[in-house]
Amino acid sequence: MPKIKINGKETEVAAGKSVLQACLDNGVFVPHYCWHPGLSPAGNCRMCLVKVSNSRKLEVSCMYPCTEGLEVTTEGPEIADARKDVLEFLLINHPLDCPICDKAGECDLQDFTYAYRQGTSRFVEPKNMRHTKDLGPNIRIWGNRCIACSRCVRFCNEISGTGELALVNRGDRSVVDVFPGVPIDNPLSLNVVDICPVGALIDKNFLYSARVWFAQETETVCASCSRGCSSLLTTLDGVIKRHIARENPDTNKYWMCDEGRLNVRYVSSDKRLKVARGTAGELGAAAQTIVRKHGSGSVAGLVSSYQTIEEIFLFKKLMMALKADSVGVLTQSRGERRTFPGGFVIEADKTPNRAFAEMALGPEAVAQGAGRVVADILAGKVRGLMLLNGIPDFAFPTDLLTAAEKLDFLGVMDIAQSPLSDKAHVLLPGAAWAEKDGTFLNVDRRVQRIRRALPPPGAARPEVELLQRALIELRARERLVSAEGVFREVTKEFAGFSDFDYTDVGVKGVALTS
Ligand code: FES
């Protein structure tokens, strides 16, 4: 643990850390392009120059090791001049594209230029043009904007392990390209857009769709698999514009898969349910009528592991109020769990809350519960079914569709039209993941929050509200509270949840204590 001084302030740093890392860890910002905390250092942009006590020239801080007694200075006229010169060099062939560039507003080149340069250029020669073309199905490069930092190349070598990208040509002709006939098309490809410090690599799905300073950013969690990567949802005028990774060392570090980014499209699908048939009160009353007529166990329930902790908790209460014996969980898995060379994992379970469904309803309800519900309907034991789905584009098992024909009552809460929503006696449109507040328990038993970024369409309501209204109708609950209020009830009933509240869950989540 060498002791060093940063701008005169003594601090202890972990052995092996670079000066740049030590500065950033101690809240001292040093401008940089090519260095990224999730990648190996490359030392090629020269933007991170600082003064160190054991060298007469300025040093590249991302490659300079911390040694005992080192004194680092990060600001001063000499350093500012050097950064200004580096920027002049980087901008020689860079076009003044900011008004039409998707990176504008969150571009490091734009920000550092604003900080260090005076907005004039001494370069009067014709600019050297590089290629603008598609590099893959989701990525397009504007080569003239590329500063050859090689972050994207290192990502493909070190994290996805797919190696599609390379820097081709020399000097001011250097630019990122793919090998001929081999596009960048791996499951993590769009991360290179996140880490491009300028606007060279652009997500074609986001191209020209929003100026980021007009858009809203919501800190949430991806719901596309049980890992629950921390993410940022960009919305504008009530429409999702993009879904990108957010740093969280305990779940996804800095990365996110393309599937998680792109399958948010279902939120604005034409198949979304917007019109209700009946009310939540009528849903509760109709199910209760079945129970009164046919006795305990005549109503069953199916809930999906796409629903939040609060919703599964309330669904369980509803099943208890209706004296249901058969409760099953709808899940969705695809392929195998996949681990990439950089350690990033995509889970096979494509729902975000299976861990809590198992905790609340039991592993048996998750593994065989849906099959048991179908068998009980076919045997005539179950006459009414409450369904709470929410899995996007879910293919309901055919035996469930057949069994549903025999039901006296079918109550459905779902987000999209399906064969079961068509048959429902009471149909309540629910809110998609981006339209509500709540929490998920990920595969590593980490509680993480989702936040409402959009209003639900038409008559759709968050299921936390629908379920509470049904429970109030059954006199199993006194009043309606927020998702946060329901979470407080969860913490009183489930071991491991008792030590924290919504505030502690925050934006990074909390691991269960038991
Ligand atoms: Fe140090 Fe690029 S960040 S040289």
Side-chain angles (χ1 to χ4, degrees), residues 271-325:
K271 290 182 84 182
R272 283 295 302 275
L273 295 168
K274 294 174 189 153
V275 179
R277 270 202 309 278
T279 64
E282 285 164 13
L283 179 78
Q288 197 172 40
T289 307
I290 298 281
V291 179
R292 285 203 185 115
K293 211 159 140 194
H294 300 286
S296 300
S298 58
V299 168
L302 284 174
V303 60
S304 84
S305 47
Y306 217 88
Q307 297 303 121
T308 63
I309 287 177
E310 295 78 4
E311 288 154 359
I312 292 176
F313 172 79
L314 290 169
F315 191 82
K316 184 182 177 186
K317 296 278 177 208
L318 186 63
M319 290 300 101
M320 286 161 66
L322 292 169
K323 303 185 180 74
D325 292 337

Side-chain angles (χ1 to χ4, degrees), residues 362-380:
E364 198 265 337
V366 178
Q368 291 120 27
R372 202 178 128 206
V373 169
V374 170
D376 285 349
I377 298 171
L378 293 174

Side-chain angles (χ1 to χ4, degrees), residues 74-221:
T74 65
E75 298 297 339
E78 187 190 357
I79 298 165
D81 278 352
R83 289 174 186 164
K84 199 171 156 183
D85 291 345
V86 169
L87 279 166
E88 180 173 30
F89 181 67
L90 290 176
L91 290 167
I92 277 180
N93 283 303
H94 195 91
L96 187 52
D97 258 4
C98 307
I100 55 145
C101 177
D102 277 296
K103 195 76 174 184
E106 45 191 25
C107 172
D108 290 343
L109 190 58
Q110 200 178 35
D111 291 346
F112 300 157
T113 301
Y114 190 75
Y116 291 101
R117 302 235 357 123
Q118 274 108 45
T120 53
S121 173
R122 291 183 291 163
F123 192 74
V124 290
E125 290 78 9
K127 285 187 186 282
N128 176 23
M129 302 298 282
R130 287 165 289 172
H131 57 220
T132 298
K133 65 175 193 178
D134 286 355
L135 293 183
N138 292 309
I139 297 167
R140 187 166 174 82
I141 186 169
W142 270 256
N144 292 333
R145 300 175 189 162
C146 179
I147 60 167
C149 72
S150 80
R151 275 185 179 184
C152 54
V153 177
R154 281 174 283 147
F155 177 87
C156 290
N157 292 340
E158 297 167 16
I159 308 298
S160 66
T162 46
E164 299 101 326
L165 297 182
L167 272 168
V168 297
N169 303 331
R170 299 279 171 179
D172 64 356
R173 280 155 180 80
S174 246
V175 68
V176 168
D177 202 353
V178 288
F179 294 101
V182 186
I184 174 166
D185 188 15
N186 67 69
L188 308 184
S189 72
L190 282 168
N191 287 288
V192 300
V193 175
D194 287 358
I195 60 175
C196 179
V198 297
L201 295 175
I202 295 290
D203 175 358
K204 286 170 23 184
N205 309 281
F206 181 61
L207 185 64
Y208 303 139
S209 67
R211 303 268 66 184
V212 292
W213 53 89
F214 292 133
Q216 285 81 49
E217 303 276 25
T218 306
E219 289 173 311
T220 188
V221 167

Side-chain angles (χ1 to χ4, degrees), residues 273-466:
L273 295 168
K274 294 174 189 153
V275 179
R277 270 202 309 278
T279 64
E282 285 164 13
L283 179 78
Q288 197 172 40
T289 307
I290 298 281
V291 179
R292 285 203 185 115
K293 211 159 140 194
H294 300 286
S296 300
S298 58
V299 168
L302 284 174
V303 60
S304 84
S305 47
Y306 217 88
Q307 297 303 121
T308 63
I309 287 177
E310 295 78 4
E311 288 154 359
I312 292 176
F313 172 79
L314 290 169
F315 191 82
K316 184 182 177 186
K317 296 278 177 208
L318 186 63
M319 290 300 101
M320 286 161 66
L322 292 169
K323 303 185 180 74
D325 292 337
S326 300
V327 180
V329 178
L330 298 172
T331 61
Q332 182 166 261
S333 291
R334 206 168 43 249
E336 300 276 310
R337 183 179 196 265
R338 190 163 172 195
T339 306
F340 291 82
F344 185 84
V345 175
I346 300 177
E347 303 290 342
D349 176 8
K350 299 301 174 196
T351 61
N353 206 18
R354 186 187 178 114
F356 186 76
E358 283 184 352
M359 186 184 272
L361 302 168
E364 198 265 337
V366 178
Q368 291 120 27
R372 202 178 128 206
V373 169
V374 170
D376 285 349
I377 298 171
L378 293 174
K381 184 184 163 204
V382 166
R383 312 292 285 265
L385 177 67
M386 292 285 225
L387 172 73
L388 172 53
N389 178 33
I391 301 179
D393 306 317
F394 187 59
F396 286 97
T398 44
D399 57 351
L400 175 61
L401 299 179
T402 313
E405 303 287 347
K406 293 192 67 180
L407 290 166
D408 295 340
F409 172 73
L410 174 62
V412 172
M413 288 169 273
D414 205 347
I415 56 169
Q417 183 265 334
S418 71
L420 289 181
S421 73
D422 294 344
K423 285 191 183 85
H425 300 97
V426 174
L427 173 65
L428 304 175
W433 135 97
E435 297 159 356
K436 59 189 174 188
D437 292 307
T439 49
F440 292 136
L441 186 64
N442 88 345
V443 65
D444 295 332
R445 292 168 60 83
R446 191 171 186 83
V447 182
Q448 306 191 97
R449 273 185 74 179
I450 55 168
R451 289 172 174 78
R452 179 181 147 126
L454 303 165
R461 302 296 308 146
E463 293 86 333
V464 157
E465 180 188 323
L466 300 175

Side-chain angles (χ1 to χ4, degrees), residues 1-14 17-24 26 52-54 64-74:
M1 299 281 283
K3 278 198 182 92
I4 66 167
K5 271 189 185 169
I6 301 175
N7 295 336
K9 205 168 146 199
E10 193 168 85
T11 182
E12 218 171 44
V13 297
K17 282 220 165 170
S18 68
V19 168
L20 177 61
Q21 272 177 297
C23 289
L24 297 175
N26 284 279
V52 287
S53 53
N54 51 8
Y64 209 86
C66 291
T67 47
E68 186 61 37
L70 189 74
E71 292 186 23
V72 181
T73 308
T74 65

